[in-house]
């Protein structure tokens, strides 16, 4: 098959890497891709990946057999719908299905209508009502911009005034149009856990569990980021919790095939859970692979990703089979100095080849490109995802950090405690 993957991050490099390993992958394109995808695919610049008609033209000109949509923006823009109407096979949900991520209000209504456990909430289109709700509920409390905000539209407020400031920020344009409607939620407590599933024909095929580290600095301090590290599987999850999360994903998948939410959902559904004392509750749904969760999930996936994605895209759940490697996977993100705030680009990156000579190590590129001299340079906040497999959690962690030591660029920033809390056991969250 000739395949094009849309996106430019570490998630897309991991997807391209996994697809390229399949004997069924003929020609692989990444639009726009990055310095890492260029090693396994042909990067395509200048193509607007939110323009469905432009993508239809590209597919016809290049005999594309399947489009894999990585990020959320093209999904919410309805790219999958345009491509499907043109007869192109697409891995990714419709615009309506993508509203599970594109609108937190839609998503919360979906959860409540389908008896999916989640936090109590209110939805508001004006600041005064939202502020009054915050004062009535008290803190801690969570304020969310309703729309897409690149993972930065969620504020966990420890006191009422911080929450009120967050509400005002949303309504005064801090998150653009995404903040024109605001969701205010009860603050749940406990460890977080992600469970992703391939969804097709109303059926969910759950992947391995993963746990991201959102805060910028060691000890879960500092501002939220797109993710500074992740591991899979999650050792603190009990069998009962896994069963409960799996049922939630199966119930959600079934609901996408029923009215009034009928979506013909064909892609990945990401369940972000909080493991509360009352059991797992959904913090959010996303309509695509997580980043950086994908970078530890796909290296553990056994089988042919091309065949899996084709079955999902065709709406043929009976053809989907999943199995997982026994190894643990740990990913550490190397970021630019200053991330998630202002940072500089253009720093030369050295040592990736040395890192990948270590057993079980793969480096996925996120924010990289090449300069005019052909040198690999930084081109984003999150620069590299250093992934290591190991026969134990500790072995995978040690290998990941050994690989990080091999790689250098000016201003390299990383957390040194990815996975440490989980390694210490569930009591670490008490």
């Amino acid at each position: 098959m000739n395949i094009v993957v849309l996106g430019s991050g570490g998630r897309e490099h991991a997807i391209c890497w996994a697809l390229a390993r399949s004997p069924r992958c003929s020609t692989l394109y990444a639009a726009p891709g990055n310095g890492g995808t260029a090693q396994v695919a042909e990067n395509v610049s200048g193509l607007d990946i939110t323009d469905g008609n432009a993508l239809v033209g590209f597919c016809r000109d290049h005999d594309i057999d399947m489009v894999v949509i990585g990020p959320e923006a093209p999904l919410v823009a309805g790219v999958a719908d345009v491509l499907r109407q043109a007869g192109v096979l697409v891995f990714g949900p419709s615009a309506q299905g993508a509203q599970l991520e594109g609108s937190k209000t839609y998503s919360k209504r979906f959860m409540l209508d389908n008896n999916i456990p989640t936090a109590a909430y209110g939805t508001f289109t004006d600041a005064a009502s939202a502020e009054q709700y915050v004062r009535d509920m008290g803190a801690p409390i969570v304020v969310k911009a309703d729309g897409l905000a690149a993972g930065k539209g969620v504020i966990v407020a420890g006191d009422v005034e911080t929450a009120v400031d967050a509400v005002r920020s949303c309504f005064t344009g801090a998150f653009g149009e995404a903040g024109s409607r605001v969701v205010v939620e009860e603050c749940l407590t406990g460890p977080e856990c992600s469970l992703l599933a391939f969804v097709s024909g109303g059926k969910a095929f759950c992947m391995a569990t993963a746990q991201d580290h959102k805060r910028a600095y060691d000890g879960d301090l500092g501002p939220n980021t797109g993710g500074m590290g992740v591991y899979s599987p999650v050792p603190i999850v009990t069998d009962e919790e896994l069963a409960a999360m799996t049922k939630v994903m199966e119930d959600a998948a079934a609901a996408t095939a029923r009215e009034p939410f009928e979506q013909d959902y064909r892609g990945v559904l990401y369940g972000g859970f909080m493991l509360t004392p009352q059991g797992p509750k959904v913090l959010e749904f996303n309509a695509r692979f997580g980043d950086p969760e994908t970078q530890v999930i796909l290296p553990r996936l056994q089988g042919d990703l091309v065949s899996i994605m084709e079955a999902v895209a065709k709406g043929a759940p009976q053809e989907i089979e999943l199995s997982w490697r026994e190894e643990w996977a740990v990913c550490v993100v190397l970021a630019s100095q200053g991330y998630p705030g202002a940072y500089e680009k253009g720093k030369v990156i050295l040592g990736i080849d040395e890192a990948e000579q270590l057993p079980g190590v793969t480096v996925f590129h996120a924010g990289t490109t090449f300069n005019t001299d052909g040198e690999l340079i930084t081109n984003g906040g999150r620069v590299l995802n250093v992934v290591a497999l190991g026969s134990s959690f500790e072995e995978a962690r040690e290998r990941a950090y050994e690989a990080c030591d091999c790689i250098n660029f000016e201003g390299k920033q990383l957390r040194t405690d990815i996975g440490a809390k989980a390694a210490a056991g569930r009591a670490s969250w008490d």
Side-chain angles (χ1 to χ4, degrees), residues 208 232-233 296 299-302 324-330 360 388-393 395-396 399:
S232 176
V296 290
R300 297 189 59 233
L301 176 65
Q302 292 181 318
W324 303 96
R325 298 174 62 166
E326 293 292 330
E327 291 102 327
W328 296 76
V330 173
L389 295 175
S391 59
S392 67
F393 193 16
E395 182 178 65
R399 282 181 179 173

Side-chain angles (χ1 to χ4, degrees), residues 174 335 373:
D373 295 326

Side-chain angles (χ1 to χ4, degrees), residues 328-331 359-362 386-390 395-397 399-401 403:
W328 296 76
V330 173
C331 168
V361 171
T362 305
V386 181
V387 178
L389 295 175
E395 182 178 65
R397 290 187 69 244
R399 282 181 179 173
Y401 279 108

Side-chain angles (χ1 to χ4, degrees), residues 134 138-141 156-165:
V134 165
I141 199 163
V156 180
D159 57 78
V160 167
E161 290 311 310
T162 299
V164 168
D165 287 345

Side-chain angles (χ1 to χ4, degrees), residues 51-370:
D51 184 338
N53 292 321
L55 289 164
V56 169
F58 178 86
C59 291
R60 288 174 176 163
D61 291 343
H62 294 82
D63 296 320
I64 297 299
D65 297 297
M66 183 167 65
V67 177
V68 177
I69 303 177
E72 58 274 20
L75 293 169
V76 172
V79 163
D81 305 74
V82 176
L83 288 166
R84 286 198 182 103
Q85 288 167 8
V88 179
L89 197 63
V90 186
F91 181 91
S94 65
Q96 184 184 352
Q99 283 299 292
L100 288 171
E101 177 169 5
S103 168
K104 293 178 178 63
T105 299
Y106 177 94
S107 185
K108 295 293 280 192
R109 189 181 306 122
F110 175 90
M111 294 181 219
L112 292 181
D113 286 356
N114 293 288
N115 298 312
I116 291 170
T118 188
Y121 78 104
T123 298
F124 306 93
T125 55
D126 68 281
S129 299
E131 289 176 26
Q132 188 59 53
Y133 185 84
V134 165
R135 297 188 191 282
D136 291 344
M137 294 290 288
I141 199 163
V142 182
V143 178
K144 297 181 176 181
D146 180 77
L148 297 179
K152 299 178 177 63
V154 177
I155 301 95
V156 180
D159 57 78
V160 167
E161 290 311 310
T162 299
V164 168
D165 287 345
V167 167
R168 292 172 181 170
S169 293
C170 287
F171 283 113
T172 54
F175 304 106
E177 185 61 27
S180 61
R181 184 162 57 179
V182 171
V183 173
V184 183
E185 284 187 354
E186 164 195 13
C187 186
L188 302 177
T189 59
E192 291 188 35
C193 180
S194 301
L195 183 62
L196 284 65
F198 293 104
V199 173
S200 188
K203 303 292 184 183
F205 298 82
C206 290
M207 305 184 210
T209 55
Q211 190 174 59
D212 189 12
H213 296 63
K214 287 291 187 186
R215 298 286 186 172
Y217 310 128
D218 285 6
D220 290 326
L221 301 176
N224 272 340
T225 71
M228 293 299 292
V230 62
Y231 51 82
S232 176
V234 183
I236 60 169
V237 174
T238 66
D239 291 343
E240 291 78 13
E241 287 170 332
L242 180 58
M245 289 189 292
T246 300
K247 184 178 186 302
V248 164
M249 299 305 292
E250 291 172 346
D251 289 348
T256 67
R258 293 195 306 264
E259 293 184 353
F261 296 101
E262 191 169 0
Q263 299 160 358
D264 190 21
Y265 198 106
R266 306 183 202 178
V268 170
L269 183 63
Y270 170 124
F273 290 86
M274 184 75 84
L275 306 179
T276 77
Q278 295 77 38
K281 294 187 179 182
V282 175
L283 293 171
E284 64 178 359
F285 281 127
N286 292 327
R288 37 73 190 179
F289 274 110
D291 188 346
E293 290 90 346
T294 307
Q295 290 87 302
V296 290
I297 289 172
L298 290 186
R300 297 189 59 233
L301 176 65
Q302 292 181 318
D304 189 318
L305 185 61
V306 170
S307 295
I308 294 168
M309 286 186 161
E310 180 188 24
V312 171
K314 289 193 308 184
Q318 70 277 6
E319 298 178 14
I320 300 170
E321 293 184 8
L322 302 183
S323 60
W324 303 96
R325 298 174 62 166
E326 293 292 330
E327 291 102 327
W328 296 76
V330 173
C331 168
V332 179
V333 172
L334 302 184
S336 296
Q337 185 175 3
Y339 175 79
Y343 55 84
E344 295 181 354
K345 300 180 181 180
K347 309 301 182 182
V348 175
I349 304 167
L350 301 173
I352 292 178
D353 289 344
E354 181 184 351
E356 292 194 315
Q357 289 175 6
L358 297 171
V361 171
T362 305
V363 179
F364 294 119
H365 296 223
T368 68
T369 189
F370 296 96

